[in-house]
Amino acid sequence: MIYAMFKGENSMGFKRGKTYNLRTEIKPVPGVLKPCLCVFDTNSTSWCPYSSLEKFLENWKIIDEKYYKRMCTEVRKCLYIRLMC
Protein backbone atom coordinates (compact mmCIF):
# COMPACT_ATOMS: atom_id res chain seq x y z
CA MET A 1 0.00 0.00 0.00
CA ILE A 2 1.12 3.55 -0.73
CA TYR A 3 0.21 6.59 1.32
CA ALA A 4 0.24 9.67 -0.94
CA MET A 5 -1.20 13.15 -1.48
CA PHE A 6 -2.88 13.94 -4.79
CA LYS A 7 -1.38 17.10 -6.31
CA GLY A 8 -3.03 16.94 -9.73
CA GLU A 9 -6.28 18.57 -10.78
CA ASN A 10 -9.46 17.07 -9.28
CA SER A 11 -10.08 14.01 -11.43
CA MET A 12 -11.42 10.45 -11.41
CA GLY A 13 -12.71 10.92 -7.84
CA PHE A 14 -9.38 12.17 -6.47
CA LYS A 15 -9.28 15.65 -4.91
CA ARG A 16 -6.23 17.93 -4.99
CA GLY A 17 -4.48 18.17 -1.60
CA LYS A 18 -6.19 15.13 -0.10
CA THR A 19 -4.19 12.11 1.07
CA TYR A 20 -5.07 8.57 0.09
CA ASN A 21 -4.12 4.99 0.82
CA LEU A 22 -3.44 3.57 -2.62
CA ARG A 23 -2.90 0.21 -4.19
CA THR A 24 -1.57 -0.31 -7.69
CA GLU A 25 -1.97 -2.86 -10.47
CA ILE A 26 -0.45 -3.19 -13.91
CA LYS A 27 -3.32 -4.10 -16.19
CA PRO A 28 -4.78 -3.51 -19.63
CA VAL A 29 -7.29 -0.69 -20.00
CA PRO A 30 -9.80 -0.74 -22.89
CA GLY A 31 -8.70 1.50 -25.74
CA VAL A 32 -5.05 1.66 -24.61
CA LEU A 33 -2.38 -0.37 -26.42
CA LYS A 34 0.04 -0.93 -23.53
CA PRO A 35 -0.78 -2.05 -19.98
CA CYS A 36 -1.26 0.86 -17.57
CA LEU A 37 -0.25 1.54 -14.01
CA CYS A 38 -3.70 1.67 -12.41
CA VAL A 39 -3.95 3.42 -9.04
CA PHE A 40 -6.87 2.64 -6.72
CA ASP A 41 -8.00 4.35 -3.52
CA THR A 42 -8.43 1.56 -0.96
CA ASN A 43 -11.30 3.43 0.76
CA SER A 44 -13.48 4.29 -2.25
CA THR A 45 -14.12 3.45 -5.89
CA SER A 46 -11.74 6.16 -7.16
CA TRP A 47 -9.06 4.98 -9.54
CA CYS A 48 -6.92 6.35 -12.36
CA PRO A 49 -4.75 4.77 -15.07
CA TYR A 50 -1.26 6.15 -15.78
CA SER A 51 0.90 5.42 -18.81
CA SER A 52 4.11 5.39 -16.74
CA LEU A 53 5.51 5.66 -13.26
CA GLU A 54 6.76 9.14 -14.15
CA LYS A 55 3.22 10.28 -15.07
CA PHE A 56 1.94 8.92 -11.76
CA LEU A 57 4.62 10.84 -9.85
CA GLU A 58 3.69 14.10 -11.63
CA ASN A 59 0.30 13.91 -9.91
CA TRP A 60 1.16 12.39 -6.53
CA LYS A 61 3.45 13.15 -3.59
CA ILE A 62 4.49 9.98 -1.80
CA ILE A 63 4.21 10.55 1.94
CA ASP A 64 6.16 7.48 3.10
CA GLU A 65 9.56 7.03 1.42
CA LYS A 66 9.85 3.27 2.06
CA TYR A 67 6.65 2.64 0.12
CA TYR A 68 7.91 4.86 -2.71
CA LYS A 69 11.12 2.86 -3.11
CA ARG A 70 9.28 -0.47 -2.98
CA MET A 71 6.63 0.72 -5.45
CA CYS A 72 9.22 1.91 -7.98
CA THR A 73 10.96 -1.46 -7.92
CA GLU A 74 7.71 -3.46 -8.18
CA VAL A 75 6.15 -1.32 -10.91
CA ARG A 76 9.24 -1.36 -13.11
CA LYS A 77 9.58 -5.12 -12.65
CA CYS A 78 5.90 -5.73 -13.53
CA LEU A 79 6.00 -3.42 -16.54
CA TYR A 80 9.13 -5.13 -17.84
CA ILE A 81 7.62 -8.60 -17.45
CA ARG A 82 4.31 -7.61 -19.12
CA LEU A 83 5.98 -5.82 -22.03
CA MET A 84 8.27 -8.78 -22.72
CA CYS A 85 5.34 -11.22 -23.04
Side-chain angles (χ1 to χ4, degrees), residues 38-65:
C38 295
V39 177
F40 300 88
D41 175 21
T42 61
N43 298 311
S44 75
T45 58
S46 299
W47 75 282
C48 190
Y50 291 94
S51 59
S52 68
L53 179 59
E54 291 78 12
K55 292 294 183 188
F56 167 76
L57 293 173
E58 287 176 11
N59 289 291
W60 292 90
K61 178 180 179 188
I62 307 300
I63 304 297
D64 190 326
E65 188 69 23

mmCIF file of all heavy atoms in Angstrom, residues 38-65:
data_model
loop_
_atom_site.group_PDB
_atom_site.id
_atom_site.type_symbol
_atom_site.label_atom_id
_atom_site.label_comp_id
_atom_site.label_asym_id
_atom_site.label_seq_id
_atom_site.Cartn_x
_atom_site.Cartn_y
_atom_site.Cartn_z
ATOM 1 N N CYS A 38 -2.402 1.236 -12.931
ATOM 2 C CA CYS A 38 -3.699 1.673 -12.408
ATOM 3 C C CYS A 38 -3.577 1.875 -10.902
ATOM 4 O O CYS A 38 -3.077 1.011 -10.187
ATOM 5 C CB CYS A 38 -4.771 0.640 -12.716
ATOM 6 S SG CYS A 38 -5.066 0.461 -14.485
ATOM 7 N N VAL A 39 -4.035 3.032 -10.440
ATOM 8 C CA VAL A 39 -3.945 3.422 -9.038
ATOM 9 C C VAL A 39 -5.350 3.457 -8.460
ATOM 10 O O VAL A 39 -6.240 4.108 -9.023
ATOM 11 C CB VAL A 39 -3.265 4.808 -8.913
ATOM 12 C CG1 VAL A 39 -3.235 5.265 -7.471
ATOM 13 C CG2 VAL A 39 -1.870 4.763 -9.505
ATOM 14 N N PHE A 40 -5.552 2.754 -7.347
ATOM 15 C CA PHE A 40 -6.866 2.640 -6.716
ATOM 16 C C PHE A 40 -6.815 3.164 -5.289
ATOM 17 O O PHE A 40 -5.874 2.859 -4.548
ATOM 18 C CB PHE A 40 -7.302 1.171 -6.666
ATOM 19 C CG PHE A 40 -7.414 0.514 -8.004
ATOM 20 C CD1 PHE A 40 -6.314 -0.091 -8.583
ATOM 21 C CD2 PHE A 40 -8.625 0.498 -8.686
ATOM 22 C CE1 PHE A 40 -6.406 -0.707 -9.824
ATOM 23 C CE2 PHE A 40 -8.724 -0.116 -9.927
ATOM 24 C CZ PHE A 40 -7.614 -0.720 -10.497
ATOM 25 N N ASP A 41 -7.833 3.946 -4.911
ATOM 26 C CA ASP A 41 -8.002 4.347 -3.522
ATOM 27 C C ASP A 41 -8.581 3.144 -2.786
ATOM 28 O O ASP A 41 -9.591 2.584 -3.208
ATOM 29 C CB ASP A 41 -8.953 5.545 -3.432
ATOM 30 C CG ASP A 41 -9.259 5.941 -2.001
ATOM 31 O OD1 ASP A 41 -8.478 5.596 -1.090
ATOM 32 O OD2 ASP A 41 -10.291 6.599 -1.787
ATOM 33 N N THR A 42 -7.957 2.742 -1.687
ATOM 34 C CA THR A 42 -8.429 1.559 -0.958
ATOM 35 C C THR A 42 -9.723 1.819 -0.181
ATOM 36 O O THR A 42 -10.357 0.878 0.275
ATOM 37 C CB THR A 42 -7.352 1.041 0.019
ATOM 38 O OG1 THR A 42 -7.059 2.058 0.966
ATOM 39 C CG2 THR A 42 -6.095 0.631 -0.731
ATOM 40 N N ASN A 43 -10.112 3.094 -0.036
ATOM 41 C CA ASN A 43 -11.300 3.431 0.757
ATOM 42 C C ASN A 43 -12.477 3.932 -0.071
ATOM 43 O O ASN A 43 -13.450 4.421 0.491
ATOM 44 C CB ASN A 43 -10.925 4.477 1.808
ATOM 45 C CG ASN A 43 -9.894 3.942 2.775
ATOM 46 O OD1 ASN A 43 -10.041 2.863 3.318
ATOM 47 N ND2 ASN A 43 -8.826 4.689 2.966
ATOM 48 N N SER A 44 -12.372 3.858 -1.402
ATOM 49 C CA SER A 44 -13.483 4.290 -2.254
ATOM 50 C C SER A 44 -13.363 3.592 -3.606
ATOM 51 O O SER A 44 -12.512 2.720 -3.785
ATOM 52 C CB SER A 44 -13.450 5.818 -2.447
ATOM 53 O OG SER A 44 -12.411 6.186 -3.343
ATOM 54 N N THR A 45 -14.186 4.016 -4.536
ATOM 55 C CA THR A 45 -14.125 3.445 -5.888
ATOM 56 C C THR A 45 -13.256 4.283 -6.830
ATOM 57 O O THR A 45 -13.178 3.986 -8.015
ATOM 58 C CB THR A 45 -15.543 3.325 -6.486
ATOM 59 O OG1 THR A 45 -16.145 4.620 -6.512
ATOM 60 C CG2 THR A 45 -16.404 2.367 -5.679
ATOM 61 N N SER A 46 -12.584 5.308 -6.322
ATOM 62 C CA SER A 46 -11.739 6.165 -7.155
ATOM 63 C C SER A 46 -10.539 5.374 -7.678
ATOM 64 O O SER A 46 -9.923 4.614 -6.938
ATOM 65 C CB SER A 46 -11.240 7.365 -6.360
ATOM 66 O OG SER A 46 -12.312 8.152 -5.912
ATOM 67 N N TRP A 47 -10.244 5.589 -8.941
ATOM 68 C CA TRP A 47 -9.062 4.977 -9.541
ATOM 69 C C TRP A 47 -8.660 5.782 -10.761
ATOM 70 O O TRP A 47 -9.446 6.559 -11.292
ATOM 71 C CB TRP A 47 -9.320 3.515 -9.915
ATOM 72 C CG TRP A 47 -10.169 3.340 -11.128
ATOM 73 C CD1 TRP A 47 -11.526 3.465 -11.207
ATOM 74 C CD2 TRP A 47 -9.722 3.038 -12.452
ATOM 75 N NE1 TRP A 47 -11.952 3.253 -12.487
ATOM 76 C CE2 TRP A 47 -10.864 2.988 -13.286
ATOM 77 C CE3 TRP A 47 -8.467 2.806 -13.005
ATOM 78 C CZ2 TRP A 47 -10.777 2.716 -14.636
ATOM 79 C CZ3 TRP A 47 -8.386 2.536 -14.368
ATOM 80 C CH2 TRP A 47 -9.540 2.483 -15.156
ATOM 81 N N CYS A 48 -7.403 5.614 -11.195
ATOM 82 C CA CYS A 48 -6.922 6.346 -12.357
ATOM 83 C C CYS A 48 -5.793 5.560 -13.032
ATOM 84 O O CYS A 48 -4.897 5.070 -12.346
ATOM 85 C CB CYS A 48 -6.407 7.713 -11.925
ATOM 86 S SG CYS A 48 -6.045 8.811 -13.307
ATOM 87 N N PRO A 49 -5.842 5.432 -14.364
ATOM 88 C CA PRO A 49 -4.750 4.769 -15.072
ATOM 89 C C PRO A 49 -3.653 5.774 -15.438
ATOM 90 O O PRO A 49 -3.937 6.925 -15.756
ATOM 91 C CB PRO A 49 -5.431 4.243 -16.337
ATOM 92 C CG PRO A 49 -6.524 5.233 -16.601
ATOM 93 C CD PRO A 49 -6.980 5.711 -15.243
ATOM 94 N N TYR A 50 -2.408 5.329 -15.372
ATOM 95 C CA TYR A 50 -1.261 6.148 -15.784
ATOM 96 C C TYR A 50 -0.437 5.369 -16.792
ATOM 97 O O TYR A 50 -0.262 4.158 -16.661
ATOM 98 C CB TYR A 50 -0.396 6.516 -14.568
ATOM 99 C CG TYR A 50 -1.084 7.474 -13.632
ATOM 100 C CD1 TYR A 50 -1.804 7.018 -12.542
ATOM 101 C CD2 TYR A 50 -1.039 8.843 -13.860
ATOM 102 C CE1 TYR A 50 -2.448 7.906 -11.685
ATOM 103 C CE2 TYR A 50 -1.679 9.733 -13.005
ATOM 104 C CZ TYR A 50 -2.383 9.252 -11.925
ATOM 105 O OH TYR A 50 -3.028 10.131 -11.090
ATOM 106 N N SER A 51 0.109 6.071 -17.763
ATOM 107 C CA SER A 51 0.900 5.420 -18.806
ATOM 108 C C SER A 51 2.305 5.061 -18.342
ATOM 109 O O SER A 51 2.971 4.228 -18.954
ATOM 110 C CB SER A 51 0.988 6.322 -20.038
ATOM 111 O OG SER A 51 1.587 7.562 -19.704
ATOM 112 N N SER A 52 2.760 5.672 -17.246
ATOM 113 C CA SER A 52 4.107 5.389 -16.741
ATOM 114 C C SER A 52 4.200 5.771 -15.271
ATOM 115 O O SER A 52 3.357 6.521 -14.745
ATOM 116 C CB SER A 52 5.158 6.175 -17.534
ATOM 117 O OG SER A 52 5.016 7.559 -17.276
ATOM 118 N N LEU A 53 5.245 5.292 -14.647
ATOM 119 C CA LEU A 53 5.510 5.659 -13.261
ATOM 120 C C LEU A 53 5.777 7.158 -13.162
ATOM 121 O O LEU A 53 5.330 7.824 -12.227
ATOM 122 C CB LEU A 53 6.712 4.869 -12.735
ATOM 123 C CG LEU A 53 7.141 5.137 -11.307
ATOM 124 C CD1 LEU A 53 6.011 4.853 -10.327
ATOM 125 C CD2 LEU A 53 8.361 4.292 -10.965
ATOM 126 N N GLU A 54 6.465 7.710 -14.149
ATOM 127 C CA GLU A 54 6.763 9.142 -14.150
ATOM 128 C C GLU A 54 5.487 9.981 -14.191
ATOM 129 O O GLU A 54 5.374 10.999 -13.500
ATOM 130 C CB GLU A 54 7.678 9.495 -15.329
ATOM 131 C CG GLU A 54 9.092 8.948 -15.192
ATOM 132 C CD GLU A 54 9.232 7.456 -15.510
ATOM 133 O OE1 GLU A 54 8.300 6.858 -16.063
ATOM 134 O OE2 GLU A 54 10.285 6.896 -15.182
ATOM 135 N N LYS A 55 4.500 9.559 -15.004
ATOM 136 C CA LYS A 55 3.217 10.281 -15.070
ATOM 137 C C LYS A 55 2.490 10.214 -13.732
ATOM 138 O O LYS A 55 1.881 11.191 -13.289
ATOM 139 C CB LYS A 55 2.330 9.720 -16.188
ATOM 140 C CG LYS A 55 2.870 10.000 -17.569
ATOM 141 C CD LYS A 55 2.849 11.482 -17.860
ATOM 142 C CE LYS A 55 3.322 11.765 -19.262
ATOM 143 N NZ LYS A 55 3.498 13.181 -19.520
ATOM 144 N N PHE A 56 2.546 9.046 -13.085
ATOM 145 C CA PHE A 56 1.942 8.917 -11.758
ATOM 146 C C PHE A 56 2.580 9.912 -10.787
ATOM 147 O O PHE A 56 1.897 10.633 -10.069
ATOM 148 C CB PHE A 56 2.110 7.479 -11.247
ATOM 149 C CG PHE A 56 1.815 7.318 -9.785
ATOM 150 C CD1 PHE A 56 0.503 7.297 -9.328
ATOM 151 C CD2 PHE A 56 2.834 7.201 -8.861
ATOM 152 C CE1 PHE A 56 0.227 7.158 -7.972
ATOM 153 C CE2 PHE A 56 2.576 7.060 -7.509
ATOM 154 C CZ PHE A 56 1.258 7.036 -7.067
ATOM 155 N N LEU A 57 3.913 9.983 -10.802
ATOM 156 C CA LEU A 57 4.619 10.843 -9.853
ATOM 157 C C LEU A 57 4.405 12.333 -10.126
ATOM 158 O O LEU A 57 4.564 13.149 -9.219
ATOM 159 C CB LEU A 57 6.111 10.508 -9.855
ATOM 160 C CG LEU A 57 6.440 9.118 -9.298
ATOM 161 C CD1 LEU A 57 7.912 8.804 -9.510
ATOM 162 C CD2 LEU A 57 6.055 9.003 -7.837
ATOM 163 N N GLU A 58 4.021 12.696 -11.340
ATOM 164 C CA GLU A 58 3.693 14.096 -11.631
ATOM 165 C C GLU A 58 2.447 14.542 -10.864
ATOM 166 O O GLU A 58 2.274 15.723 -10.588
ATOM 167 C CB GLU A 58 3.437 14.284 -13.130
ATOM 168 C CG GLU A 58 4.687 14.237 -13.980
ATOM 169 C CD GLU A 58 4.372 14.326 -15.468
ATOM 170 O OE1 GLU A 58 3.213 14.633 -15.847
ATOM 171 O OE2 GLU A 58 5.294 14.067 -16.261
ATOM 172 N N ASN A 59 1.570 13.588 -10.538
ATOM 173 C CA ASN A 59 0.297 13.908 -9.905
ATOM 174 C C ASN A 59 0.193 13.530 -8.435
ATOM 175 O O ASN A 59 -0.813 13.828 -7.798
ATOM 176 C CB ASN A 59 -0.840 13.220 -10.671
ATOM 177 C CG ASN A 59 -1.063 13.854 -12.010
ATOM 178 O OD1 ASN A 59 -1.521 14.980 -12.088
ATOM 179 N ND2 ASN A 59 -0.707 13.148 -13.076
ATOM 180 N N TRP A 60 1.208 12.873 -7.911
ATOM 181 C CA TRP A 60 1.155 12.390 -6.534
ATOM 182 C C TRP A 60 2.440 12.716 -5.781
ATOM 183 O O TRP A 60 3.523 12.678 -6.345
ATOM 184 C CB TRP A 60 0.955 10.879 -6.505
ATOM 185 C CG TRP A 60 -0.391 10.465 -6.999
ATOM 186 C CD1 TRP A 60 -0.731 10.170 -8.292
ATOM 187 C CD2 TRP A 60 -1.577 10.324 -6.235
ATOM 188 N NE1 TRP A 60 -2.055 9.849 -8.367
ATOM 189 C CE2 TRP A 60 -2.601 9.932 -7.120
ATOM 190 C CE3 TRP A 60 -1.876 10.489 -4.888
ATOM 191 C CZ2 TRP A 60 -3.898 9.711 -6.686
ATOM 192 C CZ3 TRP A 60 -3.172 10.260 -4.457
ATOM 193 C CH2 TRP A 60 -4.170 9.876 -5.356
ATOM 194 N N LYS A 61 2.298 12.988 -4.485
ATOM 195 C CA LYS A 61 3.448 13.146 -3.594
ATOM 196 C C LYS A 61 3.409 11.978 -2.619
ATOM 197 O O LYS A 61 2.457 11.846 -1.835
ATOM 198 C CB LYS A 61 3.392 14.462 -2.826
ATOM 199 C CG LYS A 61 4.551 14.608 -1.876
ATOM 200 C CD LYS A 61 4.509 15.911 -1.117
ATOM 201 C CE LYS A 61 5.706 15.942 -0.170
ATOM 202 N NZ LYS A 61 5.646 17.067 0.724
ATOM 203 N N ILE A 62 4.421 11.132 -2.690
ATOM 204 C CA ILE A 62 4.485 9.980 -1.799
ATOM 205 C C ILE A 62 4.828 10.483 -0.396
ATOM 206 O O ILE A 62 5.802 11.213 -0.215
ATOM 207 C CB ILE A 62 5.546 8.959 -2.277
ATOM 208 C CG1 ILE A 62 5.318 8.565 -3.741
ATOM 209 C CG2 ILE A 62 5.585 7.743 -1.359
ATOM 210 C CD1 ILE A 62 3.994 7.923 -4.041
ATOM 211 N N ILE A 63 4.025 10.085 0.571
ATOM 212 C CA ILE A 63 4.209 10.551 1.942
ATOM 213 C C ILE A 63 5.243 9.690 2.672
ATOM 214 O O ILE A 63 6.039 10.186 3.437
ATOM 215 C CB ILE A 63 2.874 10.535 2.728
ATOM 216 C CG1 ILE A 63 1.809 11.349 2.006
ATOM 217 C CG2 ILE A 63 3.064 11.006 4.160
ATOM 218 C CD1 ILE A 63 2.111 12.814 1.859
ATOM 219 N N ASP A 64 5.253 8.400 2.410
ATOM 220 C CA ASP A 64 6.160 7.480 3.099
ATOM 221 C C ASP A 64 7.216 6.974 2.120
ATOM 222 O O ASP A 64 6.915 6.259 1.174
ATOM 223 C CB ASP A 64 5.356 6.316 3.679
ATOM 224 C CG ASP A 64 6.182 5.450 4.600
ATOM 225 O OD1 ASP A 64 7.385 5.272 4.362
ATOM 226 O OD2 ASP A 64 5.607 4.943 5.576
ATOM 227 N N GLU A 65 8.457 7.336 2.344
ATOM 228 C CA GLU A 65 9.559 7.035 1.423
ATOM 229 C C GLU A 65 9.779 5.536 1.204
ATOM 230 O O GLU A 65 10.084 5.103 0.108
ATOM 231 C CB GLU A 65 10.849 7.678 1.938
ATOM 232 C CG GLU A 65 12.002 7.594 0.986
ATOM 233 C CD GLU A 65 11.830 8.439 -0.266
ATOM 234 O OE1 GLU A 65 11.058 9.411 -0.243
ATOM 235 O OE2 GLU A 65 12.474 8.119 -1.269
#
